[in-house]
Structure formats: structure tokens, C-alpha cells
Amino acid sequence: MKKKLSVTIKIMAVLMAACLSSCNDFLDIVPKGSKIPTTLADFDALLRDEYGNQRTDITQAVLLMNDKFESASNLNYYQLYNANYNWQEDADRIAFNNSDEGTYYNSYMAISTSNLIIEHAPEATEATEDDKKQLIAQAKFLRATNYFVLANYYADTYEEGNAESKLSIPLITSADIGAPYTQVSIKEIYAFILKDIEEAIPDLRAAGATILHANLGAAYALSARVHLQMGQYDQALAAANQALAQNDKLFDWTAFYNQYKTQIEQPNVYTNAPSPMGYDYVENYNFRHGVRNSAGNETNIRTDRATHFEQGDAKFASRWKLRTVGADTYFKSIIRGYFNYGGMTTTEVYLIKAECLARKGDITDAMSTLNTVRKKRILSSYYADLTATTTQEAVKLIQRTKGNELILGITPFADMRRLNKDPDYAKTLSKTENGSNLSLSPTSHMWTMPFPQGAIKNPGNGTIKQNVNK
């Protein structure tokens, strides 16, 4: 009876996000709407809902990293924004997190959609068995992607020594209304993520129906990301090589810069070039929106953040340009369109491979892999191969490029969290804001976000314990 009830659940993924704030049980997130899913096309329509299920909102992580310029008006209005952006260690972020809930509910909405497909797509009509298996595999990839984001947002980073004893996030594997769940350990959630990826791989193909549909390269790339986060370098390297065997293309940002050089270099001109980082970006394994899911400009960048980019970085220069408006000076976005902040790309995989090689002592190949990416980024008048003599030196150079390349996505935040656990790479962030010197320690509790109040007060058929005190 319960199974039959789930099959008759109606679909409306696009409007789901808008109504979440009025739901009584926030974990009972089940796609609703006007059509009962029966055919494979019906289930597939759920997966390709790019404005709901294919979106990764990590606003607070970007603010904490200071990877964007935030306006004074937003900081004054949103207490949580101000606490994270200005590293207010004493702020009660739990109390402040009563409205900034998109990361949590968007992710669990996609997980619920995944669960629905995994449970009931085997019964779908008008499809071959192989097509049904592929869609289920794509749903498992989607579920794994969202659990990785949640685990690296609301729980501490993975450490082998304590992963079994520390709590992570709610693990929900059913789309049934009122289904019970457990808040599992960090070790358990990572094991579940890897299991989903491993089960998906045999049924995925070289290409999906659209860039929203996971392909084989995307699964290997996600596997590489997860194993790297766990410090499992052999497995991460193997998965990275398998992903690059599917797609190893890199976009030539030096050519893009030269194409739009006149408007980029012209003083006080902020004409928008078209974003190449959309659905057809050659580096895409799969595509996921970030904070925004409509066409537009990127967020603006702080002037001190801009100094982290290499001199002659054509990708940076093509995306942002220094501007002063009133009392504010920042780097303004100068390209417009769509941006793959949440999906897997070849650049990330190349840099995962580079770090794994360095960790294994193959510094020469590690730097060669890093320079493969840099040759498509650094203008020829500035370019020179980077070299390193130690693993530590190599990893730091790789991470500099990686943090810049993947800015505004979850990966720089996840990388910073794992590297902060290693004294060789731990970093204190610092800045001067309104005349005050501020800093964020690598051991700060602020690297773990608090669950939103809605989830704590309305936990559904389970319990949730905060992983931070404030």
C-alpha cells in the first residue's frame, strides 16, 4: 500500500522550492504536481528539472571564503551573511539561520526526486530495460552529488580517525511521505555516496540525453572528487584517469580573451561578452546551476581576492574588471549567460590528478598536469611552466590554480576544509574590513554550517542534532 501511494505522488518540482518554507515537515520533500509518473519520460522529466533538482546553492560557503564582494546593504540586512562574511566567531549562526535554507532544501528536494526515480523507474512503461537502468544510474549520481554537498556543508570534513564517531547529515533513501531516516556518521555518508557512484557506473553511457544527465565521465569525475576528499589518492587518481579518458578537453581562455580583447581592455567599459561556461562548455561532464539558475552576470569579486590570481590569467581578466561605484571598489563581472558552478568539469579532474600525483611523489608529472591547464589560461606574454621540488610546494601551487579555477563552487570550500586539517597546508584567512583587521583560523567552528532552524524544528520522522554550537 505504501509503495502504491508513492507511485501516485504527483509531480511539480519547479514550484516545490517556493512552498518549502510553509511545509510542516521539511524532510518530507516529495515531488508533487499535476501528472502521475508512469512512463520513463515522466520520470526523466523530474531528473532534468534544472531549476530545482540541478542546482547547487552554497551562498554561505562562498561568503565565508570571501570569494565574492558583498554589498553593505546585504550585510546589514542579513545577519547570517554578515556573520560568515566578516568571520564573527561569537555570532549565533544557529539563531540567524532562519531563512537562508536553500542549500538544505534544494539538495533534499533533489534527493527526494532521486529516491522516487530509483524506487519506481523499474516499473516505468515505454522504455527498454537498459534505458530504465541508465535513468536509475543518473538518479544515483544526482543523489550522490547532493549528499556530497550537504556533507561538506553541514558536517565536519572527512578524517579517517574520527569519521566513524562524528555525526554527518540525515540519510534519506525513500520518497515516501513520513519515511523514517537516520542522521548518520561522516563515515557512513561517504560510504553511501561511493556506493551510489559505484552502482551507477555500469549502467551509464558515454553521453546522456542532455548535459543535465550524468554520463560515464561525470561519474568517474565525482568518484575522483570524493576519494580526494577522503585522502584516498590511489583511488582518486584512478578515477581521474578514467574520467579524462571520457573527456579531456580544455577551453582556451587565452583565445577567448584575444577575441574580446578590445572591450576587455578599454577603460570604463563593462560590455558583457557571452559566457562560454554554459551548457555547451567543452569542459563539462555534466551541468548544474549554482546560486542562480537564470542567465545573468556572475557575482562581483573583492579586490583582495583578485590578487590570488596569477598575473596574465586570461580567464580571470575575461570574467571580471575593476570598477568603482561610490565608496565601493570591486571587480565587476563582464560576461553574461549560464555558468556551470555545480557540475563536474575536466579542469577539476586535471587538478585532482595533479594533486594525487604530487601526493604520491611524482612531482614532475604533477606539475606537467597542472601546466596543461595553465597553458589554456595564462597569456603567452606571461606564461612560464611552474616547477616544484617538494610535494608540499607542488600541492600549494596546484591548489592556487584550483581555487581560482573553481571559484564560486563547492570544491574550493571542501578543499580548504580538508587541507585545514593538515599542518602542512592549513591556512588562516585574513583581511582588512572598514579599518579592522579580521582573520579566520583553520580550526574555526565556522567551517561547518549550522542546519537551518526549519529542519531542526520540523525534522519529520527522525531527529537532527546540530554539528556546531553556533
Side-chain angles (χ1 to χ4, degrees):
M1 181 66 180
K2 193 174 186 182
K3 186 174 182 181
K4 184 176 180 181
L5 177 63
S6 290
V7 178
T8 60
I9 291 169
K10 297 179 182 180
I11 306 169
M12 192 187 70
V14 174
L15 297 182
M16 173 57 71
C19 74
L20 287 177
S21 60
S22 63
C23 295
N24 290 324
D25 293 323
F26 285 102
L27 284 177
D28 294 336
I29 300 172
V30 182
K32 299 177 181 179
S34 59
K35 190 178 189 318
I36 299 171
T38 55
T39 68
L40 192 70
D42 293 337
F43 287 103
D44 181 73
L46 289 171
L47 186 138
R48 68 171 73 202
D49 168 28
E50 63 178 288
Y51 304 114
N53 294 323
Q54 302 289 354
R55 180 185 173 201
T56 303
D57 181 355
I58 56 161
T59 297
Q60 298 307 319
V62 174
L63 287 169
L64 190 77
M65 295 279 287
N66 271 219
D67 275 350
K68 62 173 291 191
F69 171 82
E70 190 54 85
S71 67
S73 60
N74 272 352
L75 295 176
N76 289 331
Y77 186 80
Y78 298 108
Q79 290 177 299
L80 186 61
Y81 280 38
N82 191 38
N84 284 321
Y85 190 71
N86 286 319
W87 306 327
Q88 296 175 349
E89 295 271 357
D90 294 333
D92 188 351
R93 297 184 302 160
I94 294 173
F96 294 164
N97 196 10
N98 57 9
S99 61
D100 192 77
E101 302 168 329
T103 307
Y104 192 84
Y105 299 127
N106 285 344
S107 295
Y108 274 111
M109 180 173 67
I111 288 167
S112 183
T113 297
S114 302
N115 290 339
L116 186 65
I117 293 170
I118 292 164
E119 290 172 17
H120 301 296
E123 305 160 10
T125 61
E126 301 179 24
T128 66
E129 287 302 311
D130 284 347
D131 286 343
K132 287 191 282 189
K133 287 179 180 179
Q134 178 185 224
L135 186 63
I136 292 167
Q138 290 165 339
K140 288 183 177 180
F141 173 89
L142 177 64
R143 185 167 68 178
T145 297
N146 282 279
Y147 273 131
F148 180 85
V149 172
L150 290 166
N152 280 278
Y153 205 81
Y154 296 111
D156 290 348
T157 194
Y158 186 95
E159 293 180 274
E160 186 62 34
N162 59 34
E164 195 167 0
S165 60
K166 283 189 174 184
L167 280 178
S168 182
I169 56 176
L171 175 60
I172 307 172
T173 58
S174 173
D176 286 327
I177 294 175
Y181 67 89
T182 302
Q183 185 179 1
V184 298
S185 71
I186 294 174
K187 192 176 188 70
E188 288 173 308
I189 197 65
Y190 271 83
F192 185 85
I193 291 168
L194 288 175
K195 180 174 178 287
D196 259 356
I197 299 170
E198 289 161 5
E199 290 180 353
I201 284 172
D203 295 318
L204 291 172
R205 301 170 189 170
T210 72
I211 199 61
L212 302 175
H213 293 76
N215 55 31
L216 196 54
Y220 284 129
L222 182 59
S223 177
R225 175 193 281 181
V226 176
H227 281 297
L228 180 66
Q229 195 69 26
M230 299 173 75
Q232 297 175 348
Y233 304 120
D234 288 337
Q235 296 95 319
L237 179 59
N241 283 329
Q242 287 170 308
L244 292 171
Q246 296 292 317
N247 179 16
D248 63 356
K249 297 183 180 67
L250 288 168
F251 184 79
D252 191 343
W253 280 93
T254 64
F256 183 88
Y257 179 90
N258 287 323
Q259 181 180 356
Y260 294 96
K261 181 176 180 178
T262 300
Q263 68 188 53
I264 290 172
E265 295 183 352
Q266 190 172 352
N268 302 316
V269 172
Y270 301 94
T271 305
N272 295 310
S275 168
M277 301 168 64
Y279 305 113
D280 58 353
Y281 194 40
V282 297
E283 298 187 1
N284 289 346
Y285 291 108
N286 70 302
F287 181 94
R288 287 178 63 79
H289 293 284
V291 175
R292 290 192 289 257
N293 53 23
S294 57
N297 288 91
E298 298 187 86
T299 187
N300 299 322
I301 300 296
R302 291 175 59 92
T303 55
D304 52 0
R305 179 62 181 86
T307 63
H308 297 177
F309 288 83
E310 283 191 68
Q311 190 176 19
D313 189 326
K315 186 176 182 181
F316 170 76
S318 298
R319 295 167 71 183
W320 293 287
K321 189 172 182 177
L322 189 65
R323 187 177 193 182
T324 298
V325 179
D328 295 328
T329 299
Y330 51 83
F331 278 81
K332 175 179 168 47
S333 170
I334 56 172
I335 61 175
R336 184 176 181 85
Y338 292 98
F339 304 90
N340 187 9
Y341 294 134
M344 302 301 309
T345 63
T346 56
T347 288
E348 179 173 356
V349 175
Y350 271 109
L351 297 174
I352 290 173
K353 177 178 179 177
E355 181 175 344
C356 291
L357 289 168
R359 297 280 191 171
K360 290 166 62 65
D362 190 349
I363 296 172
T364 299
D365 282 351
M367 299 308 292
S368 176
T369 304
L370 170 61
N371 288 323
T372 296
V373 174
R374 293 180 61 254
K375 286 171 184 174
K376 299 293 186 179
R377 272 50 178 174
I378 309 302
L379 295 169
S380 59
S381 56
Y382 294 94
Y383 183 84
D385 280 348
L386 291 178
T387 60
T389 56
T390 66
T391 292
Q392 185 177 353
E393 184 182 358
V395 170
K396 287 182 177 181
L397 289 171
I398 292 161
Q399 280 299 321
R400 178 182 65 172
T401 294
K402 193 177 181 188
N404 292 334
E405 282 289 322
L406 304 178
I407 189 171
L408 307 179
I410 189 64
T411 299
F413 181 67
D415 277 348
M416 184 78 77
R417 283 158 44 94
R418 70 179 172 87
L419 292 169
N420 278 344
K421 299 298 182 179
D422 186 335
D424 285 338
Y425 305 104
K427 181 189 301 183
T428 296
L429 300 184
S430 61
K431 68 175 180 177
T432 300
E433 198 77 12
N434 298 321
S436 298
N437 296 323
L438 306 177
S439 63
L440 180 65
S441 164
T443 60
S444 173
H445 68 277
M446 299 191 78
W447 289 104
T448 297
M449 300 297 169
F451 290 120
Q453 287 188 30
I456 298 296
K457 293 178 180 178
N458 302 282
N461 193 3
T463 59
I464 308 174
K465 181 180 178 181
Q466 286 283 5
N467 291 318
V468 286
N469 294 323
K470 56 187 175 180

mmCIF file of all heavy atoms in Angstrom, residues 375-392:
data_model
loop_
_atom_site.group_PDB
_atom_site.id
_atom_site.type_symbol
_atom_site.label_atom_id
_atom_site.label_comp_id
_atom_site.label_asym_id
_atom_site.label_seq_id
_atom_site.Cartn_x
_atom_site.Cartn_y
_atom_site.Cartn_z
ATOM 1 N N LYS A 375 48.344 26.418 -19.490
ATOM 2 C CA LYS A 375 48.630 26.849 -20.858
ATOM 3 C C LYS A 375 47.387 27.384 -21.562
ATOM 4 O O LYS A 375 47.501 28.168 -22.508
ATOM 5 C CB LYS A 375 49.232 25.690 -21.656
ATOM 6 C CG LYS A 375 50.673 25.386 -21.276
ATOM 7 C CD LYS A 375 51.165 24.105 -21.931
ATOM 8 C CE LYS A 375 52.579 23.765 -21.444
ATOM 9 N NZ LYS A 375 53.054 22.455 -21.945
ATOM 10 N N LYS A 376 46.228 26.970 -21.118
ATOM 11 C CA LYS A 376 44.970 27.448 -21.689
ATOM 12 C C LYS A 376 44.414 28.644 -20.916
ATOM 13 O O LYS A 376 43.344 29.150 -21.233
ATOM 14 C CB LYS A 376 43.932 26.325 -21.676
ATOM 15 C CG LYS A 376 44.319 25.097 -22.484
ATOM 16 C CD LYS A 376 44.368 25.391 -23.978
ATOM 17 C CE LYS A 376 44.622 24.122 -24.778
ATOM 18 N NZ LYS A 376 44.656 24.384 -26.240
ATOM 19 N N ARG A 377 45.145 29.086 -19.902
ATOM 20 C CA ARG A 377 44.680 30.182 -19.050
ATOM 21 C C ARG A 377 45.601 31.397 -19.066
ATOM 22 O O ARG A 377 45.132 32.536 -19.078
ATOM 23 C CB ARG A 377 44.584 29.696 -17.590
ATOM 24 C CG ARG A 377 43.283 29.063 -17.163
ATOM 25 C CD ARG A 377 42.766 27.987 -18.050
ATOM 26 N NE ARG A 377 41.532 27.405 -17.534
ATOM 27 C CZ ARG A 377 40.817 26.517 -18.194
ATOM 28 N NH1 ARG A 377 41.212 26.099 -19.387
ATOM 29 N NH2 ARG A 377 39.697 26.047 -17.673
ATOM 30 N N ILE A 378 46.887 31.183 -19.000
ATOM 31 C CA ILE A 378 47.835 32.281 -18.834
ATOM 32 C C ILE A 378 48.272 32.803 -20.207
ATOM 33 O O ILE A 378 48.731 32.023 -21.058
ATOM 34 C CB ILE A 378 49.058 31.834 -18.018
ATOM 35 C CG1 ILE A 378 48.619 31.147 -16.726
ATOM 36 C CG2 ILE A 378 49.953 33.039 -17.730
ATOM 37 C CD1 ILE A 378 47.744 32.001 -15.826
ATOM 38 N N LEU A 379 48.139 34.087 -20.411
ATOM 39 C CA LEU A 379 48.516 34.695 -21.687
ATOM 40 C C LEU A 379 49.991 34.430 -21.983
ATOM 41 O O LEU A 379 50.824 34.390 -21.063
ATOM 42 C CB LEU A 379 48.247 36.196 -21.646
ATOM 43 C CG LEU A 379 46.762 36.591 -21.520
ATOM 44 C CD1 LEU A 379 46.638 38.078 -21.229
ATOM 45 C CD2 LEU A 379 45.997 36.220 -22.783
ATOM 46 N N SER A 380 50.296 34.236 -23.244
ATOM 47 C CA SER A 380 51.638 33.804 -23.645
ATOM 48 C C SER A 380 52.725 34.762 -23.173
ATOM 49 O O SER A 380 53.850 34.342 -22.870
ATOM 50 C CB SER A 380 51.707 33.644 -25.167
ATOM 51 O OG SER A 380 51.392 34.867 -25.811
ATOM 52 N N SER A 381 52.411 36.056 -23.087
ATOM 53 C CA SER A 381 53.423 37.032 -22.669
ATOM 54 C C SER A 381 53.770 36.894 -21.186
ATOM 55 O O SER A 381 54.788 37.436 -20.730
ATOM 56 C CB SER A 381 52.936 38.452 -22.950
ATOM 57 O OG SER A 381 51.689 38.687 -22.328
ATOM 58 N N TYR A 382 52.945 36.171 -20.435
ATOM 59 C CA TYR A 382 53.187 35.963 -19.001
ATOM 60 C C TYR A 382 53.525 34.508 -18.676
ATOM 61 O O TYR A 382 54.026 34.220 -17.593
ATOM 62 C CB TYR A 382 51.952 36.357 -18.183
ATOM 63 C CG TYR A 382 51.618 37.821 -18.219
ATOM 64 C CD1 TYR A 382 50.706 38.322 -19.148
ATOM 65 C CD2 TYR A 382 52.188 38.709 -17.325
ATOM 66 C CE1 TYR A 382 50.382 39.671 -19.184
ATOM 67 C CE2 TYR A 382 51.874 40.066 -17.342
ATOM 68 C CZ TYR A 382 50.966 40.534 -18.278
ATOM 69 O OH TYR A 382 50.656 41.873 -18.314
ATOM 70 N N TYR A 383 53.273 33.621 -19.615
ATOM 71 C CA TYR A 383 53.338 32.192 -19.276
ATOM 72 C C TYR A 383 54.772 31.677 -19.114
ATOM 73 O O TYR A 383 55.661 31.989 -19.899
ATOM 74 C CB TYR A 383 52.637 31.333 -20.337
ATOM 75 C CG TYR A 383 52.654 29.870 -19.952
ATOM 76 C CD1 TYR A 383 51.696 29.368 -19.094
ATOM 77 C CD2 TYR A 383 53.673 29.019 -20.400
ATOM 78 C CE1 TYR A 383 51.725 28.045 -18.686
ATOM 79 C CE2 TYR A 383 53.718 27.697 -20.002
ATOM 80 C CZ TYR A 383 52.742 27.217 -19.142
ATOM 81 O OH TYR A 383 52.785 25.896 -18.737
ATOM 82 N N ALA A 384 54.936 30.869 -18.089
ATOM 83 C CA ALA A 384 56.136 30.056 -17.912
ATOM 84 C C ALA A 384 55.718 28.826 -17.128
ATOM 85 O O ALA A 384 54.859 28.912 -16.236
ATOM 86 C CB ALA A 384 57.223 30.820 -17.164
ATOM 87 N N ASP A 385 56.293 27.688 -17.475
ATOM 88 C CA ASP A 385 55.974 26.473 -16.725
ATOM 89 C C ASP A 385 56.302 26.663 -15.246
ATOM 90 O O ASP A 385 57.337 27.233 -14.895
ATOM 91 C CB ASP A 385 56.787 25.292 -17.262
ATOM 92 C CG ASP A 385 56.187 24.700 -18.523
ATOM 93 O OD1 ASP A 385 55.040 25.041 -18.861
ATOM 94 O OD2 ASP A 385 56.878 23.882 -19.166
ATOM 95 N N LEU A 386 55.402 26.173 -14.392
ATOM 96 C CA LEU A 386 55.689 26.142 -12.967
ATOM 97 C C LEU A 386 56.424 24.858 -12.625
ATOM 98 O O LEU A 386 56.158 23.799 -13.203
ATOM 99 C CB LEU A 386 54.387 26.212 -12.157
ATOM 100 C CG LEU A 386 53.620 27.532 -12.200
ATOM 101 C CD1 LEU A 386 52.333 27.411 -11.393
ATOM 102 C CD2 LEU A 386 54.475 28.681 -11.667
ATOM 103 N N THR A 387 57.355 24.953 -11.694
ATOM 104 C CA THR A 387 58.092 23.776 -11.239
ATOM 105 C C THR A 387 58.043 23.727 -9.716
ATOM 106 O O THR A 387 57.778 24.735 -9.050
ATOM 107 C CB THR A 387 59.558 23.813 -11.696
ATOM 108 O OG1 THR A 387 60.186 24.989 -11.154
ATOM 109 C CG2 THR A 387 59.652 23.833 -13.220
ATOM 110 N N ALA A 388 58.294 22.558 -9.163
ATOM 111 C CA ALA A 388 58.321 22.371 -7.716
ATOM 112 C C ALA A 388 59.355 21.310 -7.387
ATOM 113 O O ALA A 388 59.664 20.437 -8.223
ATOM 114 C CB ALA A 388 56.949 21.961 -7.199
ATOM 115 N N THR A 389 59.881 21.365 -6.183
ATOM 116 C CA THR A 389 60.879 20.371 -5.759
ATOM 117 C C THR A 389 60.367 19.477 -4.639
ATOM 118 O O THR A 389 60.969 18.440 -4.372
ATOM 119 C CB THR A 389 62.165 21.074 -5.276
ATOM 120 O OG1 THR A 389 61.838 21.987 -4.223
ATOM 121 C CG2 THR A 389 62.810 21.853 -6.426
ATOM 122 N N THR A 390 59.251 19.888 -4.006
ATOM 123 C CA THR A 390 58.686 19.070 -2.929
ATOM 124 C C THR A 390 57.197 18.866 -3.152
ATOM 125 O O THR A 390 56.546 19.650 -3.876
ATOM 126 C CB THR A 390 58.875 19.742 -1.559
ATOM 127 O OG1 THR A 390 58.096 20.960 -1.512
ATOM 128 C CG2 THR A 390 60.341 20.061 -1.301
ATOM 129 N N THR A 391 56.662 17.856 -2.511
ATOM 130 C CA THR A 391 55.217 17.608 -2.589
ATOM 131 C C THR A 391 54.441 18.792 -2.051
ATOM 132 O O THR A 391 53.450 19.233 -2.654
ATOM 133 C CB THR A 391 54.856 16.342 -1.788
ATOM 134 O OG1 THR A 391 55.419 15.203 -2.446
ATOM 135 C CG2 THR A 391 53.350 16.169 -1.689
ATOM 136 N N GLN A 392 54.888 19.341 -0.939
ATOM 137 C CA GLN A 392 54.182 20.460 -0.332
ATOM 138 C C GLN A 392 54.142 21.666 -1.268
ATOM 139 O O GLN A 392 53.090 22.295 -1.445
ATOM 140 C CB GLN A 392 54.856 20.850 0.979
ATOM 141 C CG GLN A 392 54.118 21.942 1.752
ATOM 142 C CD GLN A 392 54.788 22.247 3.087
ATOM 143 O OE1 GLN A 392 55.722 21.579 3.505
ATOM 144 N NE2 GLN A 392 54.300 23.286 3.756
#
